[in-house]
């Protein structure tokens, strides 16, 4: 198998994992939060933290490596407009994802404490959840835009 095909495959798998895990995590956290049951939220948030660590974090590391190697193998300069824009969007995604990871840990811990105490989720949970929810939108749409850029490779003049 030619190296560029292998790299394309790995890069597409990484993009799929980023998009799919992000969408799945968001879905399950939203559904769990809507129950308002601290035990359910704690369990789901715990699973979400593990999924983000195993799948998302791995893809976050693999994507720039396979992207760089793929561009090099095919002969695309990293100064191509669509590549520069994709990299900028990747950084933006990371700037929203890193707080989301911290927020997920906090949400999990707050829900666990409420479940152990037999109390409702406190107001701090709702506040942090709203921030978590809001951070997901720009990250999700940035990933969609990156995937579109990878597929369309539009001619974008930088200067």
């Amino acid at each position: 198998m030619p190296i560029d095909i292998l790299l394309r495959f790995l890069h597409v798998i990484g993009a799929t994992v980023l998009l799919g895990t992000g969408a799945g995590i968001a879905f399950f956290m939203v559904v769990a939060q809507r129950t308002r049951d601290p035990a359910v939220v704690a369990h789901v948030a715990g699973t979400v933290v593990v999924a983000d660590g195993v799948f998302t974090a791995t893809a976050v590391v693999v994507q720039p490596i396979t992207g760089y190697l793929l561009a090099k193998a095919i002969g695309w300069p990293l100064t191509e407009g669509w590549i520069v824009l994709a990299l900028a969007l990747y950084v933006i995604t990371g700037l929203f994802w890193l707080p989301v990871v911290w927020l997920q840990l906090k949400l999990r811990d707050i829900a666990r404490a409420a479940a152990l105490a037999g109390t409702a989720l406190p107001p701090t949970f709702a506040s942090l959840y709203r921030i978590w929810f809001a951070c997901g939108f720009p990250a999700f749409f940035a990933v969609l835009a990156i995937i579109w850029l990878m597929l369309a490779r539009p001619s974008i003049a930088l200067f």
Side-chain angles (χ1 to χ4, degrees):
M1 174 184 308
I3 190 71
D4 63 312
I5 299 298
L6 176 62
L7 290 168
R8 280 181 203 247
F9 176 76
L10 293 174
H11 201 64
V12 168
I13 293 298
T16 304
V17 167
L18 282 176
L19 183 63
T21 304
I25 282 171
F27 174 79
F28 288 112
M29 279 292 284
V30 168
V31 170
Q33 183 274 340
R34 290 176 55 89
T35 70
R36 305 270 191 240
D37 181 335
V40 170
V41 174
H43 176 74
V44 171
T47 302
V48 160
V49 166
V50 171
D52 234 0
V54 172
F55 298 108
T56 309
T58 302
V60 163
V61 171
V62 168
Q63 281 306 98
I65 295 168
T66 58
Y68 170 76
L69 293 173
L70 180 58
K72 187 175 175 181
I74 292 176
W76 289 327
L78 296 179
T79 54
E80 284 280 335
W82 69 271
I83 294 176
V84 171
L85 182 54
L87 290 170
L89 288 168
Y90 194 76
V91 169
I92 289 168
T93 301
L95 291 174
F96 282 97
W97 178 65
L98 289 173
V100 160
V101 171
W102 178 83
L103 288 165
Q104 288 170 176
L105 291 166
K106 295 295 286 179
L107 292 169
R108 178 202 62 194
D109 294 346
I110 291 168
R112 282 180 177 171
L116 283 173
T119 62
L121 294 169
T124 54
F125 181 91
S127 298
L128 292 175
Y129 175 80
R130 281 191 294 275
I131 296 167
W132 173 87
F133 189 82
C135 286
F137 284 99
F140 182 76
F141 287 113
V143 170
L144 286 178
I146 293 166
I147 291 171
W148 180 82
L149 286 166
M150 288 188 322
L151 293 172
R153 297 188 311 273
S155 177
I156 299 173
L158 294 177
F159 306 100

